Amino acid sequence: MKPSEQAAETLHLLRRCGHYLHHHWGCGRASQMRALHILEDCGEMTQRELQDRMGIQQGSLSELVKKLDEQSFITRTCSPTDRRQLLIRITESGRQQSQFFRERRITEAMELASALSEEEQQELRVLLGKLLNSWQNRPESREEKR
């Protein structure tokens, strides 16, 4: 196999692994899990602050917040200082769900990585870190950040 074919095959496999993780890891509710973790770590925040932390569109956040509220994982109240702002706070049920997500993610990570020995996992982390560092330092990447 030519070096160019090897590079293409490597990136193809990496993309397939990323696709699998994106669609199958994290209980299928990655956005909910992320929002609950943020709220658990930060406490009460405005809907706008949560949107900024998550880096998602207003409409996506509204749908996410609605789902979390329907499941009683959060409460929404009007800000006492600015009635236009909604304050979001995680509930005890939300904390339990967040903890479930954290534990489940650890278990799944261990299961998914179990095909590799500890040494192979370490080597893969080093190699992936090297790739990511290289990609982030490409001139195109630096221009995108501006």
Side-chain angles (χ1 to χ4, degrees):
M1 192 181 291
K2 296 178 188 174
S4 61
E5 292 171 338
Q6 289 177 351
E9 178 65 15
T10 298
L11 293 179
H12 175 72
L13 289 170
L14 188 58
R15 183 177 56 205
R16 289 186 62 199
C17 287
H19 182 268
Y20 183 89
L21 291 173
H22 179 75
H23 291 284
H24 299 281
W25 190 39
C27 314
R29 295 181 261 175
S31 293
Q32 290 184 24
M33 177 173 48
R34 195 160 159 246
L36 289 176
H37 291 339
I38 290 169
L39 289 166
E40 186 176 29
D41 293 342
C42 297
E44 183 179 80
M45 59 182 22
T46 66
Q47 190 161 324
R48 179 60 190 207
E49 289 169 332
L50 182 58
Q51 178 186 345
D52 291 345
R53 278 293 295 273
M54 293 188 72
I56 61 176
Q57 298 294 318
Q58 174 69 35
S60 299
L61 182 72
S62 294
E63 185 65 28
L64 174 62
V65 167
K66 179 181 172 194
K67 287 178 183 178
L68 292 172
D69 191 30
E70 288 171 351
Q71 297 174 80
S72 300
F73 292 155
I74 62 166
T75 58
R76 295 185 282 182
T77 56
C78 288
S79 169
T81 57
D82 184 350
R83 306 286 295 163
R84 296 170 294 172
Q85 287 187 334
L86 277 179
L87 296 176
I88 302 172
R89 180 179 297 141
I90 193 168
T91 63
E92 184 55 38
S93 175
R95 285 185 203 291
Q96 291 172 0
Q97 187 65 32
S98 178
Q99 189 59 39
F100 168 78
F101 281 147
R102 289 180 199 269
E103 291 169 5
R104 174 91 182 262
R105 197 166 178 110
I106 290 168
T107 301
E108 286 180 350
M110 291 175 64
E111 289 172 5
L112 291 172
S114 68
L116 303 174
S117 69
E118 287 184 31
E119 294 81 19
E120 291 169 325
Q121 289 178 41
Q122 173 62 27
E123 183 178 351
L124 181 59
R125 285 192 304 274
V126 168
L127 294 173
L128 290 173
K130 190 174 182 178
L131 267 180
L132 184 58
N133 186 43
S134 169
W135 295 346
Q136 289 174 334
N137 288 317
R138 292 180 63 193
E140 310 89 68
S141 296
R142 288 192 297 267
E143 289 174 14
E144 290 173 7
K145 292 179 183 176
R146 291 181 189 169

